Amino acid sequence: MTAVTFASPERRRRPASEFARRLNKAAGMALGFLIIVLGILVAPLPGPGGVPIITLGLILVLRASTGAKRLFIRACHRWPRTLSPIRRLLRRNSPFVSIVWQMMLRMEKFVTRGNGLMAGWRRSLKRRRTA
């Protein structure tokens, strides 16, 4: 046996029953859709509160559904720059806080053309780091 055989994910996990696997996927999709609906309800409030919530719901749905993954891959080929933060969030051990911060800055720059509140916070953080 090689080291690759011992390191394979199938070796590390206990095999779950088919029913448990399907139940887990159904629960993930249901929770994802519930979070998306919550994000849509929060979206009209001031600030970008709905965007991160909807993104979290989409991530849960993408992890549970192969059909949604196919649609997401097609969308990634069509709009790669827009969907790159979501792709980065789907990776294992992704730096969640920095990705969400970059998404918020990008959204703020799009809405206010770079002269908003978060741009001032970013400048003050840069000054503190260099000082």
Side-chain angles (χ1 to χ4, degrees), residues 47-68:
V51 175
I53 295 172
I54 292 172
T55 304
L56 180 66
L58 286 173
I59 288 170
L60 288 174
V61 170
L62 283 172
R63 287 188 178 222
S65 169
T66 55

Side-chain angles (χ1 to χ4, degrees), residues 21-33 56-70 90:
R21 204 172 309 140
R22 286 184 183 207
L23 185 65
N24 192 13
K25 282 191 174 203
M29 285 194 56
L31 183 64
F33 282 124
L56 180 66
L58 286 173
I59 288 170
L60 288 174
V61 170
L62 283 172
R63 287 188 178 222
S65 169
T66 55
K69 286 178 191 175
R70 277 190 225 115
L90 286 171

Side-chain angles (χ1 to χ4, degrees), residues 67-81:
K69 286 178 191 175
R70 277 190 225 115
L71 287 173
F72 181 69
I73 289 170
R74 267 192 250 150
C76 282
H77 288 299
R78 189 167 183 184
W79 302 292
R81 188 163 181 234

Side-chain angles (χ1 to χ4, degrees), residues 77-125:
H77 288 299
R78 189 167 183 184
W79 302 292
R81 188 163 181 234
T82 306
L83 296 175
S84 65
I86 297 173
R87 286 180 54 221
R88 287 178 56 204
L89 284 172
L90 286 171
R91 295 180 190 155
R92 289 182 191 257
N93 301 327
S94 63
F96 181 78
V97 174
S98 66
I99 294 171
V100 171
W101 179 257
Q102 288 172 358
M103 287 172 56
M104 288 173 57
L105 288 176
R106 205 180 265 179
M107 179 70 70
E108 188 248 350
K109 185 177 179 183
F110 175 74
V111 172
T112 63
R113 300 189 185 168
N115 296 324
L117 178 66
M118 284 191 272
W121 287 347
R122 185 179 59 229
R123 285 187 209 110
S124 67
L125 284 174

